[in-house]
Amino acid sequence: MSREAAYLRMLEAAAKLQWNMATILDAKAVETEKVRNWICNHVSPEVFPGQQDLVKETLEVHDQMIEVIDGLSKMGQGISSMLKVVLRHDAATDSDDGMGGMFSGFPMGGDKS
């Protein structure tokens, strides 16, 4: 398999992963809305015998949400890292000067970057 084909497969996998993440987030949003409605209608300070129990339950819900956000952030960072590798490769081949990119790191002519 050529390098370009491998990069293309990586991009296709990233696109599928992002599609699946969007589907998961959509389902999670629907589920979260149902949970929010249930909590608003059934959970009140009168339900719990003490303030400690109320705080404990609230913290458990927040911990679950933090885990979901953390997992999504890690997946996003992984996708970003993979796309950076592919884009660096594309930039290196686009700026090829006929010398295998040997001079791509040096500003030449009008390039001031």
Side-chain angles (χ1 to χ4, degrees):
M1 177 184 304
S2 70
R3 180 174 280 194
E4 287 78 19
Y7 283 133
L8 182 61
R9 286 188 67 190
M10 286 172 58
L11 289 173
E12 288 172 351
K16 287 178 185 177
L17 186 60
Q18 287 179 335
W19 178 261
N20 289 332
M21 283 176 56
T23 304
I24 289 168
L25 286 173
D26 188 36
K28 202 66 169 163
V30 170
E31 178 186 345
T32 303
E33 183 67 22
K34 289 178 183 178
V35 169
R36 185 192 68 83
N37 288 335
W38 186 88
I39 288 173
C40 287
N41 292 326
H42 293 91
V43 177
S44 63
E46 297 84 33
V47 174
F48 296 98
Q51 183 69 20
Q52 293 286 355
D53 296 327
L54 176 63
V55 171
K56 180 182 172 189
E57 288 296 319
T58 305
L59 287 176
E60 286 179 11
V61 170
H62 286 100
D63 284 343
Q64 290 172 358
M65 295 307 299
I66 289 172
E67 287 178 16
V68 169
I69 293 169
D70 185 49
L72 291 171
S73 296
K74 287 178 181 176
M75 283 199 309
Q77 288 172 350
I79 291 172
S80 175
S81 296
M82 183 181 62
L83 291 176
K84 283 180 185 177
V85 168
V86 172
L87 291 175
R88 282 190 200 131
H89 171 72
D90 287 346
T93 57
D94 288 347
S95 67
D96 229 1
D97 53 9
M99 301 295 279
M102 190 170 17
F103 300 110
S104 62
F106 301 103
M108 306 192 102
D111 188 16
K112 302 290 183 195
S113 56

